[in-house]
Amino acid sequence: MTTSNRLLDFVASMTRVCDGKITDESKLLEHAKPLMHDLVAQDDWLPDSMAVPHPQFYQQHLLYGDPLDRFSLVSFVWGPGQKTPVHDHTVWGIIGVLRGAECA
Protein backbone atom coordinates (compact mmCIF):
# COMPACT_ATOMS: atom_id res chain seq x y z
CA MET A 1 0.00 0.00 0.00
CA THR A 2 1.35 3.42 -0.81
CA THR A 3 1.70 6.00 1.91
CA SER A 4 -1.00 8.29 0.53
CA ASN A 5 -3.38 5.36 0.37
CA ARG A 6 -3.12 4.80 4.14
CA LEU A 7 -4.57 8.22 4.84
CA LEU A 8 -7.19 7.94 2.08
CA ASP A 9 -8.21 4.48 3.28
CA PHE A 10 -8.61 5.79 6.83
CA VAL A 11 -10.75 8.70 5.63
CA ALA A 12 -12.93 6.41 3.47
CA SER A 13 -13.39 3.95 6.34
CA MET A 14 -14.20 6.69 8.87
CA THR A 15 -16.69 8.18 6.41
CA ARG A 16 -18.47 4.82 6.25
CA VAL A 17 -18.49 4.59 10.07
CA CYS A 18 -19.95 8.10 10.34
CA ASP A 19 -22.50 7.67 7.56
CA GLY A 20 -25.41 8.01 9.98
CA LYS A 21 -26.31 4.36 10.44
CA ILE A 22 -24.54 4.15 13.82
CA THR A 23 -26.24 6.50 16.25
CA ASP A 24 -24.83 5.16 19.52
CA GLU A 25 -21.54 6.94 20.31
CA SER A 26 -20.02 3.89 22.02
CA LYS A 27 -20.72 1.78 18.92
CA LEU A 28 -19.24 4.46 16.70
CA LEU A 29 -16.06 4.46 18.80
CA GLU A 30 -15.99 0.67 18.75
CA HIS A 31 -15.80 0.80 14.95
CA ALA A 32 -13.46 3.79 14.76
CA LYS A 33 -10.76 2.65 17.23
CA PRO A 34 -9.39 -0.17 15.07
CA LEU A 35 -9.20 2.19 12.10
CA MET A 36 -6.99 4.58 14.08
CA HIS A 37 -4.95 1.68 15.38
CA ASP A 38 -4.30 0.49 11.83
CA LEU A 39 -3.41 4.01 10.65
CA VAL A 40 -0.78 4.63 13.31
CA ALA A 41 0.63 1.09 13.05
CA GLN A 42 2.66 2.31 10.06
CA ASP A 43 4.82 5.42 10.22
CA ASP A 44 5.20 6.17 6.53
CA TRP A 45 2.18 8.28 5.62
CA LEU A 46 2.47 11.55 7.57
CA PRO A 47 4.39 14.23 5.66
CA ASP A 48 7.52 15.28 7.55
CA SER A 49 6.37 18.91 7.47
CA MET A 50 3.38 17.95 9.64
CA ALA A 51 5.54 16.44 12.36
CA VAL A 52 7.95 19.29 13.06
CA PRO A 53 7.56 20.89 16.51
CA HIS A 54 7.51 24.65 17.01
CA PRO A 55 10.18 25.83 19.47
CA GLN A 56 7.60 27.38 21.84
CA PHE A 57 4.10 26.05 21.12
CA TYR A 58 2.50 22.78 20.15
CA GLN A 59 1.51 22.59 16.51
CA GLN A 60 -1.66 21.30 14.91
CA HIS A 61 -2.18 20.46 11.27
CA LEU A 62 -5.57 19.61 9.80
CA LEU A 63 -5.03 16.49 7.69
CA TYR A 64 -8.69 16.01 6.80
CA GLY A 65 -11.94 17.78 7.64
CA ASP A 66 -15.11 15.91 6.76
CA PRO A 67 -17.33 18.18 4.62
CA LEU A 68 -20.32 17.25 6.82
CA ASP A 69 -18.35 17.97 10.04
CA ARG A 70 -18.71 14.39 11.28
CA PHE A 71 -15.01 13.97 12.04
CA SER A 72 -11.60 15.44 11.39
CA LEU A 73 -8.07 14.15 11.44
CA VAL A 74 -5.46 16.43 12.98
CA SER A 75 -1.75 16.02 13.54
CA PHE A 76 -0.77 17.51 16.91
CA VAL A 77 2.95 17.94 17.46
CA TRP A 78 4.52 18.69 20.81
CA GLY A 79 8.19 19.39 21.30
CA PRO A 80 10.09 18.31 24.42
CA GLY A 81 8.55 19.82 27.56
CA GLN A 82 5.53 21.31 25.77
CA LYS A 83 2.07 20.56 27.15
CA THR A 84 -1.59 21.34 26.84
CA PRO A 85 -3.73 22.34 29.82
CA VAL A 86 -6.46 19.93 30.86
CA HIS A 87 -9.50 20.66 28.72
CA ASP A 88 -12.76 19.19 27.48
CA HIS A 89 -13.58 19.02 23.79
CA THR A 90 -17.25 18.13 24.52
CA VAL A 91 -17.20 15.73 21.56
CA TRP A 92 -16.01 12.19 20.99
CA GLY A 93 -12.45 11.66 19.91
CA ILE A 94 -9.81 9.04 19.30
CA ILE A 95 -6.14 9.61 19.95
CA GLY A 96 -3.53 7.72 18.00
CA VAL A 97 0.13 8.28 18.80
CA LEU A 98 2.29 7.93 15.69
CA ARG A 99 5.64 8.98 17.18
CA GLY A 100 6.72 9.44 20.76
CA ALA A 101 4.27 9.04 23.65
CA GLU A 102 1.39 10.85 25.24
CA CYS A 103 2.23 11.74 28.83
CA ALA A 104 -0.28 12.42 31.57
Side-chain angles (χ1 to χ4, degrees):
M1 176 181 300
T2 65
T3 58
S4 61
N5 284 350
R6 288 189 208 289
L7 181 56
L8 293 175
D9 287 349
F10 175 84
V11 167
S13 296
M14 277 300 299
T15 299
R16 286 190 291 275
V17 168
C18 296
D19 70 358
K21 294 179 181 148
I22 300 174
T23 56
D24 179 83
E25 188 174 286
S26 63
K27 292 287 186 195
L28 187 143
L29 292 172
E30 184 180 309
H31 286 82
K33 284 179 185 179
L35 300 177
M36 178 60 73
H37 179 270
D38 290 348
L39 180 63
V40 299
Q42 298 289 326
D43 186 7
D44 62 358
W45 56 270
L46 183 68
D48 290 339
S49 63
M50 299 204 173
V52 176
H54 183 278
Q56 291 180 297
F57 311 103
Y58 76 88
Q59 298 282 86
Q60 59 182 320
H61 305 281
L62 180 64
L63 302 175
Y64 178 78
D66 179 67
L68 299 177
D69 288 332
R70 298 171 294 184
F71 69 97
S72 61
L73 182 62
V74 181
S75 170
F76 284 91
V77 184
W78 284 268
Q82 294 175 348
K83 50 187 145 184
T84 302
V86 174
H87 57 281
D88 184 355
H89 291 238
T90 69
V91 297
W92 64 270
I94 300 170
I95 296 171
V97 178
L98 184 62
R99 300 174 192 156
E102 182 181 33
C103 300

